[in-house]
C-alpha cells in the first residue's frame, strides 16, 4: 500500500473473534485479513457490474444463430458432457 488511512470499524464480538481466528490460521493480521476481504468483495461487485454492462450490448439473435448453426465438427473424445 502506498498510502493508508484509518477507519474505525465496529464488528459484533463474535464476528471479530472469528476474524481473528481465521486471520491467525491464514498467517495474517486482522487488519490485513479485513483489507483483503474488502478488496475481494469490491472485485466481485465490479466484475458483476462489468459483465452486466457487457450483457446489455449482447445480440441474442446473433448468439442463437451461432449456437444453433449447422455444420462444424462433432465433439472430440473427452468433450462429452459429464453429469
Amino acid at each position: 500500500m502506498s498510502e493508508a488511512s484509518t477507519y474505525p470499524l465496529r464488528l459484533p464480538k463474535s464476528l471479530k473473534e472469528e476474524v481473528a481466528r481465521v486471520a491467525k490460521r491464514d498467517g495474517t493480521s486482522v487488519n490485513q485479513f479485513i483489507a483483503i476481504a474488502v478488496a475481494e468483495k469490491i472485485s466481485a461487485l465490479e466484475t458483476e457490474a462489468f459483465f452486466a454492462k457487457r450483457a446489455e450490448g449482447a445480440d441474442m439473435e446473433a448468439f442463437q444463430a451461432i449456437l444453433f448453426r449447422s455444420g462444424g465438427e462433432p465433439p472430440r473424445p473427452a468433450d462429452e458432457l459429464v453429469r
Side-chain angles (χ1 to χ4, degrees):
M1 271 190 278
S2 59
E3 188 177 327
S5 65
T6 59
Y7 179 80
L9 179 63
R10 293 186 183 137
L11 294 174
K13 185 177 181 183
S14 60
L15 183 56
K16 162 61 165 73
E17 290 169 354
E18 190 67 16
V19 168
R21 186 184 68 76
V22 175
K24 183 176 182 180
R25 185 181 72 204
D26 195 43
T28 61
S29 68
V30 168
N31 184 70
Q32 185 178 9
F33 184 85
I34 291 171
I36 291 169
V38 170
E40 287 177 357
K41 182 64 176 186
I42 290 171
S43 176
L45 292 171
E46 292 297 315
T47 299
E48 179 185 19
F50 171 81
F51 283 111
K53 186 157 180 70
R54 290 287 306 262
E56 289 173 6
D59 183 342
M60 292 308 291
E61 287 183 20
F63 170 74
Q64 294 287 334
I66 291 169
L67 187 63
F68 295 110
R69 71 179 178 231
S70 61
E73 326 180 346
R76 296 176 185 170
D79 280 350
E80 296 86 17
L81 181 61
V82 179
R83 293 180 195 241

